């Protein structure tokens, strides 16, 4: 890609597919659910998705393309991305939101620690505000 648009996208899934001289770059945000598909740095499809499955359909140079996302495991954030050209599957890739946690048990432990840290942080903040304002 000329400018590699996805390098500006910090937190999300990034998939790259090659179709001849054209590079298809797919981005999905972890937090907002926004999905974007680029062909040679040009945005061709964009939408927000909150479901486990999502499909983007677009045309480029007289060909029909589809990019399908499917969340395989919500706990580990394992996402599958399938690239189609003229209704024929070209390539399939998978990524995990936490690549350092491939074991679901470790993922649950990590997420539980995050929840506990958030709870303690929120409780501490509330207690501090109540202490200062409650007087």
């Amino acid at each position: 890609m000329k400018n590699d648009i996805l390098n500006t996208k910090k937190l999300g899934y990034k998939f790259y597919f090659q179709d001849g001289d054209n590079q298809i770059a797919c981005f999905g945000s972890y937090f907002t659910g926004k999905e974007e598909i680029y062909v040679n740095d040009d945005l061709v499809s964009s939408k927000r998705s909150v479901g486990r499955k999502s499909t983007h359909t677009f045309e480029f140079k007289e060909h029909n393309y589809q990019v399908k996302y499917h969340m395989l495991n919500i706990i580990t954030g394992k996402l599958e991305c399938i690239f189609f050209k003229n209704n024929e599957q070209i390539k399939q890739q998978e990524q995990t939101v936490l690549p350092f946690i491939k074991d679901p048990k470790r993922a649950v432990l990590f997420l539980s620690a995050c929840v506990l840290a958030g709870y303690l942080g929120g409780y501490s903040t509330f207690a501090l505000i109540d202490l200062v304002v409650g007087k």
Side-chain angles (χ1 to χ4, degrees), residues 87-103:
N87 296 322
E88 181 182 331
Q89 182 175 331
I90 303 299
K91 189 147 185 183
Q92 172 182 336
Q93 298 177 9
E94 291 179 1
Q95 284 184 17
T96 303
V97 69
L98 303 172
F100 57 91
I101 299 179
K102 300 207 187 286
D103 179 20

Side-chain angles (χ1 to χ4, degrees), residues 40-59:
N40 302 328
D41 290 332
D42 295 323
L43 182 65
V44 294
S45 181
S46 177
K47 70 178 180 178
R48 290 200 192 276
S49 174
V50 292
R52 292 185 59 181
K53 293 183 178 183
S54 175
T55 301
H56 293 261
T57 304
F58 59 95
E59 290 183 19

Side-chain angles (χ1 to χ4, degrees), residues 1-72:
M1 298 181 93
K2 290 175 242 131
N3 297 322
D4 195 7
I5 194 85
L6 296 190
N7 280 337
T8 63
K9 310 284 186 187
K10 300 279 187 245
L11 299 172
Y13 297 96
K14 299 171 187 173
F15 297 97
Y16 297 93
F17 301 101
Q18 197 67 36
D19 180 40
D21 292 337
N22 302 310
Q23 184 178 50
I24 293 82
C26 310
F27 172 75
S29 172
Y30 299 153
F31 301 107
T32 65
K34 186 168 185 178
E35 301 168 347
E36 298 173 326
I37 311 295
Y38 296 87
V39 177
N40 302 328
D41 290 332
D42 295 323
L43 182 65
V44 294
S45 181
S46 177
K47 70 178 180 178
R48 290 200 192 276
S49 174
V50 292
R52 292 185 59 181
K53 293 183 178 183
S54 175
T55 301
H56 293 261
T57 304
F58 59 95
E59 290 183 19
F60 184 76
K61 291 190 179 179
E62 299 178 10
H63 294 285
N64 297 315
Y65 293 93
Q66 270 190 337
V67 174
K68 292 185 178 185
Y69 291 109
H70 180 215
M71 181 60 69
L72 300 174

